[in-house]
């Protein structure tokens, strides 16, 4: 296992609404009040055609790590698929949650309990490795950190707070950076179907489709990269 790096600075303040954490900064819950895990599976896993696309070294990148729910759902799905290689996961987060708050939030999903317990010792670290997972968190404003990233993802989870409350994480230049750091044939999915987000993804070069959303959300967005603009 790699050396444990210095923990990220924890600067996200929350208020609990029953068992759901709500960001004080953005006045928005970290996951669906209906069923956060079901929404994650619908939006980010099904939205990126997972697990059918898994391959050796498959790389998922994410805007907005939050409680770590997306990673737990993804890793559970990866293991259930029988994948024998290493999953790469890179997440961009400006305001990381304290590990204790992550663990508390995850208790709402007992079906992820074993995974939550397994990964709990690693929360707060910028990078760690398991036998089947290579995790990296890049802390800071993604508008500055993503353009300088040297990687490229097979699939993106675009999971920032609501575009109405956190428009900075959905701007055209950031959607362009997502496109530039997506492999050819790669995809992106998000719970929002906001018009300016879809237009930003289209302008960046993605083929964008509005598909059925989760729960009360009638629509969500899926984007696919087919043009040869992949970075080396």
């Amino acid at each position: 296992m790699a050396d444990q790096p210095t923990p990220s600075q924890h600067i996200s303040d929350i208020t609990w609404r029953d068992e759901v954490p709500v960001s004080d900064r953005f006045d928005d819950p970290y996951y669906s009040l209906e069923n956060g895990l079901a929404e994650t599976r619908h939006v980010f896993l099904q939205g990126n055609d997972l697990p059918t696309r898994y391959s050796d070294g498959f790389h998922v990148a994410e805007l907005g790590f939050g409680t770590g729910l997306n990673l737990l759902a993804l890793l559970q799905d990866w293991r259930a698929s029988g994948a024998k290689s290493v999953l790469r996961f890179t997440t961009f987060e400006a305001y990381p949650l304290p590990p204790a708050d992550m663990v508390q939030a995850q208790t709402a999903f007992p079906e992820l309990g074993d995974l939550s317990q397994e990964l709990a010792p690693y929360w707060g670290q910028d990078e760690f490795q398991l036998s089947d997972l290579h995790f990296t968190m890049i802390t800071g404003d993604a508008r500055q950190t993503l353009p300088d990233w040297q990687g490229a993802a097979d699939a993106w989870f675009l999971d920032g707070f609501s575009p109405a409350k956190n428009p900075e994480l959905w701007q055209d230049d950031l959607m362009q950076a997502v496109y530039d750091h997506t492999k050819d044939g790669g995809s992106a999915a998000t719970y929002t179907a906001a018009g300016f987000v879809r237009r930003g993804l289209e302008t960046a070069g993605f083929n964008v489709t509005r598909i059925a959303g989760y729960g009360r959300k009638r629509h969500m967005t899926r984007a696919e990269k087919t043009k040869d603009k992949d970075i080396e």
Side-chain angles (χ1 to χ4, degrees), residues 181-199:
H181 292 80
T182 303
K183 297 177 183 177
D184 285 340
S187 64
T190 178
Y191 62 87
T192 184
F196 84 93
V197 173
R198 289 187 287 110
R199 288 190 294 272

Side-chain angles (χ1 to χ4, degrees), residues 158-172:
L158 305 182
D159 197 24
F161 290 110
S162 165
K165 298 182 178 182
N166 184 205
E168 294 81 7
L169 209 60
W170 304 95
Q171 292 179 356
D172 288 356

Side-chain angles (χ1 to χ4, degrees), residues 77-149:
D77 194 60
W78 175 265
R79 291 178 175 178
S81 75
K84 302 299 183 183
S85 57
V86 176
L87 170 69
R88 299 179 63 197
F89 187 88
T90 302
T91 185
F92 296 81
E93 175 59 66
Y95 307 108
L97 279 171
D101 288 335
M102 293 180 61
V103 171
Q104 182 176 345
Q106 292 164 12
T107 61
F109 309 104
E111 56 267 63
L112 296 175
D114 290 345
L115 265 179
S116 178
Q117 185 176 10
E118 179 183 349
L119 268 62
Y122 302 99
W123 300 140
Q125 298 179 27
D126 294 325
E127 186 171 7
F128 64 84
Q129 293 190 34
L130 307 179
S131 61
D132 57 356
L133 173 67
H134 184 175
F135 171 89
T136 303
M137 175 183 284
I138 299 175
T139 306
D141 189 328
R143 292 173 295 177
Q144 279 76 55
T145 58
L146 177 52
D148 293 333
W149 184 44

Side-chain angles (χ1 to χ4, degrees), residues 3-79:
D3 292 337
Q4 297 182 353
T6 303
S8 301
Q9 182 183 15
H10 305 129
I11 50 179
S12 185
D13 295 322
I14 63 173
T15 298
W16 292 92
R17 186 179 302 171
D18 295 326
E19 60 186 12
V20 178
V22 178
S23 169
D24 292 341
R25 184 183 298 270
F26 298 105
D27 188 28
D28 208 27
Y30 275 85
Y31 47 73
S32 171
L33 298 176
E34 296 180 59
N35 187 320
L37 179 56
E39 180 183 48
T40 286
R41 288 169 171 163
H42 178 87
V43 173
F44 298 117
L45 301 187
Q46 296 178 33
N48 281 292
D49 289 337
L50 307 179
T52 61
R53 294 174 54 214
Y54 291 151
S55 59
D56 187 16
F58 194 81
H59 195 163
V60 174
E62 174 187 60
L63 294 183
F65 186 58
T67 65
L69 175 60
N70 295 342
L71 173 59
L72 293 180
L74 174 65
L75 185 57
Q76 183 185 66
D77 194 60
W78 175 265
R79 291 178 175 178

